[in-house]
Amino acid sequence: MRKVMTSAELKLWNELRAHRLMGLGFRRQFPIAGYIVDFACPEKKLVVEADGCHHTETDAVASDQARTVRLEQDGWIVLRFWNDDIIRDIDNVCQHIVIAAGLGRASE
């Protein structure tokens, strides 16, 4: 469990905390099935992960895939966003989260 957030995690957390995003209740560094996820909305069983460049390494990719499979087996929806996308386009990231939570729909 990390106390210091990356700049992308901090930016995302500022959008998610205190029910700021469509009233969704997110928790940070939340334990699920032996893992600690970056952000979780237990009510919607939604996990949001902020991934940096180290997630492109072979071992990390395999680990992330296994983690996602395990969480999905327990009924969680897992969303992964690159740190760069969070920093550059937080509005689109938030839109994807809202849609995944079932509170919005993709624009046509």
Side-chain angles (χ1 to χ4, degrees):
M1 196 161 164
R2 294 180 295 108
K3 292 184 181 189
V4 178
M5 288 188 271
T6 66
S7 58
E9 288 171 333
L10 182 58
K11 185 167 189 161
L12 184 56
W13 182 234
N14 282 331
E15 297 293 324
L16 300 177
R17 70 186 181 97
H19 302 272
R20 290 180 179 172
L21 185 63
M22 301 289 289
L24 295 168
F26 276 90
R27 307 221 5 227
R28 187 176 90 77
Q29 297 287 287
F30 189 71
I32 305 170
Y35 297 104
I36 297 178
V37 301
D38 292 336
F39 307 101
C41 178
E43 177 186 353
K44 299 291 184 176
K45 291 197 88 168
L46 179 62
V47 168
V48 179
E49 296 280 19
D51 291 343
C53 61
H54 65 279
H55 287 269
T56 62
E57 297 170 8
T58 304
D59 290 345
V61 169
S63 176
D64 287 346
Q65 287 174 339
R67 174 184 173 116
T68 296
V69 166
R70 175 64 174 93
L71 295 172
E72 287 175 344
Q73 286 173 343
D74 286 350
W76 290 85
I77 297 166
V78 179
L79 300 178
R80 292 186 170 280
F81 297 100
W82 293 110
N83 287 346
D84 190 55
D85 292 333
I86 294 168
I87 296 295
R88 293 177 188 260
D89 194 6
I90 190 68
D91 291 338
N92 194 36
V93 168
C94 288
Q95 180 184 10
H96 278 85
I97 294 168
V98 167
I99 291 167
L103 299 178
R105 58 187 174 96
S107 39
E108 299 175 20

